[in-house]
Amino acid sequence: MELSMYVTRQNWWSKALLSVKLDVKTAFLHGDLQEEIYMNQPPGYEAQSDLKLATGEFIYLLLYVDDMLIAASSQLEIYRMKRQFSKQFEMKELGEARKILGMEICRDKEAGKVWLTQRAYIEKVLKRFGIDDTTKAVTLPLAAHFQLSANLLDIAQAIGVVSRFMHDPDQGHWQAIKWILRYLKGTIDVGLVYERQQSSVGLCMGYTDSDYAGDIDRRRSTTGYLFTLAGGPVSWRSTLQSTVALSTTEAEYMAVTEAMKEAIWMQGLLDDLGVEHMTLTVFCDSQSAIFLTTNPVHHARTKHIDVRYHFVRDMIETGEVLLKKIDTKENHADMLTKVLSVQKFTYCKELMNVRAQR
């Protein structure tokens, strides 16, 4: 996906956001280019354009092949940008954005809320695999009784587990996949919710967690992290660690490192989008892992850890990213690393603003 933007620095979420979807007709006929194409302006170059934004306004432009989504706080600015594009391409306006890349968009402008769901896509998947009205829905994406082995955010952890066996699946793995589909059947209207906030300062938060030696076959641990913006998740990951951790602390430390790398990228993205923010904070529920990030002394319990994981110490020392302790029961990322009880799983979804529209 290519993302381009024309933006001025503003407290963007405190304003009403308007959006419109456009389609470029015969986009692929414009694909043969003879000249060199630059994704970023060369240093020192200033674009000359008659598209000038009024003070306090901004425009975000999302482009995927021939589909285009424009969002701004002013209908006038959207009109001016559409007119600018129409000078170069034949455009078709599809009205207010209600769907993009398979995601349905629902807005409550008075309440300042946006829902992103995938109802139509989920219905298509369920129909393909024969999950109909007679199939009973379940409340967890993966249950504790699925002890999957090679011998035999919501669904990220479950998908991560079953995906490890795509090269040689058997009946047990298929039963686990059917369980995930039954979960989707019961949560077809659940989506990501984002809410308008009074201030954008400090609105982005990160959470990280690990599941020590959860992989039955190779005893590797699982890394999970999650970042929220405007109250809802915008970036998350659940993945098996590349090496075996020799302790819970080491597994948590490795997870913190991956989250820190994502935090640095997130801060750069927020800067590019003109979002004012404080230093991004990442929360971890392992006090020993936090201590390890601030202790430069190598001893018998840490000297074997790959040096690439120790860059997190530099990030903490320079203050580029903050790392703070959080209670396990309040850790959003807990659901990305292990199978939880129904109560804890539901609570994690509420913490992340993953809920049905209401």
Side-chain angles (χ1 to χ4, degrees):
M1 185 189 307
E2 299 173 357
L3 177 65
S4 55
M5 64 205 72
Y6 194 127
V7 59
T8 57
R9 184 173 297 275
Q10 292 295 328
N11 182 353
W12 61 280
W13 201 263
S14 65
K15 297 176 177 288
L17 201 62
L18 306 173
S19 61
V20 64
K21 187 177 181 182
L22 302 175
D23 181 80
V24 181
K25 294 185 177 180
T26 62
F28 292 101
L29 299 182
H30 299 282
D32 296 328
L33 302 173
Q34 303 300 321
E35 64 274 15
E36 294 183 1
I37 301 299
Y38 295 90
M39 298 303 293
N40 295 312
Q41 291 183 175
Y45 175 79
E46 295 184 4
Q48 300 298 321
S49 172
D50 60 357
L51 183 62
K52 297 182 179 180
L53 299 178
T55 302
E57 302 296 345
F58 60 90
I59 294 178
Y60 297 103
L61 172 64
L62 180 68
L63 179 63
Y64 184 79
V65 190
D66 60 339
D67 288 331
M68 187 181 302
L69 183 65
I70 302 176
S73 59
S74 167
Q75 190 68 50
L76 176 62
E77 298 303 337
I78 293 179
Y79 169 76
R80 296 178 65 193
M81 176 160 278
K82 290 190 297 183
R83 185 179 62 182
Q84 184 77 4
F85 280 121
S86 297
K87 294 179 181 179
Q88 302 293 330
F89 307 102
E90 185 178 359
M91 309 292 294
K92 178 182 178 181
E93 182 171 344
L94 303 177
E96 182 178 355
R98 299 187 182 278
K99 188 174 183 180
I100 185 72
L101 301 180
M103 295 181 291
E104 291 87 27
I105 304 172
C106 184
R107 307 165 62 100
D108 185 340
K109 296 181 180 179
E110 293 185 1
K113 293 185 177 182
V114 176
W115 283 266
L116 296 181
T117 64
Q118 289 188 294
R119 181 185 180 91
Y121 177 72
I122 294 175
E123 289 178 338
K124 181 179 179 181
V125 172
L126 295 178
K127 182 178 179 180
R128 177 183 177 185
F129 291 99
I131 307 298
D132 53 27
D133 293 339
T134 63
T135 305
K136 184 179 179 181
V138 294
T139 55
L140 288 173
L142 204 61
H145 67 267
F146 287 108
Q147 298 294 322
L148 299 182
S149 168
N151 296 321
L152 292 172
L153 124 245
D154 169 321
I155 63 172
Q157 185 268 340
I159 293 297
V161 171
V162 297
S163 295
R164 302 169 193 169
F165 311 100
M166 293 178 62
H167 65 289
D168 187 25
D170 64 15
Q171 188 63 29
H173 303 119
W174 171 238
Q175 292 302 321
I177 293 172
K178 287 177 62 177
W179 186 278
I180 296 174
L181 293 175
R182 291 170 60 189
Y183 170 78
L184 290 176
K185 180 178 184 294
T187 58
I188 197 168
D189 291 315
V190 171
L192 310 180
V193 184
Y194 305 94
E195 302 182 63
R196 181 190 301 142
Q197 299 179 347
Q198 296 299 318
S199 173
S200 64
V201 177
L203 57 83
C204 188
M205 298 291 180
Y207 304 86
T208 180
D209 191 29
S210 74
D211 176 34
Y212 177 58
D215 178 33
I216 296 177
D217 295 309
R218 301 181 62 183
R219 287 306 177 186
R220 290 184 292 176
S221 306
T222 299
T223 284
Y225 64 69
L226 166 78
F227 288 85
T228 62
L229 182 65
V234 293
S235 176
W236 60 90
R237 188 182 186 191
S238 177
T239 184
L240 207 60
Q241 294 179 356
S242 59
T243 59
V244 176
L246 299 182
S247 66
T248 301
T249 298
E250 184 177 341
E252 295 279 2
Y253 186 64
M254 292 163 66
V256 167
T257 301
E258 296 303 317
M260 284 292 181
K261 292 192 291 185
E262 185 71 5
I264 294 171
W265 182 85
M266 283 292 300
Q267 290 196 139
L269 178 63
L270 293 175
D271 290 337
D272 288 341
L273 293 176
V275 178
E276 299 176 2
H277 62 91
M278 298 177 64
T279 301
L280 200 151
T281 300
V282 175
F283 293 96
C284 173
D285 57 17
S286 173
Q287 188 64 60
S288 57
I290 295 175
F291 176 75
L292 189 55
T293 65
T294 59
N295 180 16
V297 178
H298 289 264
H299 46 69
R301 289 178 295 176
T302 62
K303 65 181 181 181
H304 64 281
I305 298 178
D306 195 322
V307 68
R308 63 178 169 153
Y309 295 112
H310 288 306
F311 101 101
V312 66
R313 292 175 175 171
D314 290 336
M315 300 300 101
I316 300 298
E317 184 176 349
T318 60
E320 291 189 42
V321 181
L322 301 179
L323 183 63
K324 293 185 178 180
K325 178 73 167 65
I326 190 174
D327 192 282
T328 300
K329 64 181 180 181
E330 300 296 327
N331 191 349
H332 298 43
D334 203 24
M335 65 181 294
L336 299 176
T337 60
K338 60 184 72 70
V339 176
L340 304 175
S341 66
V342 174
Q343 293 77 13
K344 179 62 184 296
F345 182 77
T346 302
Y347 182 58
C348 281
K349 290 204 301 182
E350 292 176 351
L351 287 175
M352 294 191 299
N353 249 3
V354 177
R355 59 187 67 185
Q357 182 179 349
R358 58 176 182 268

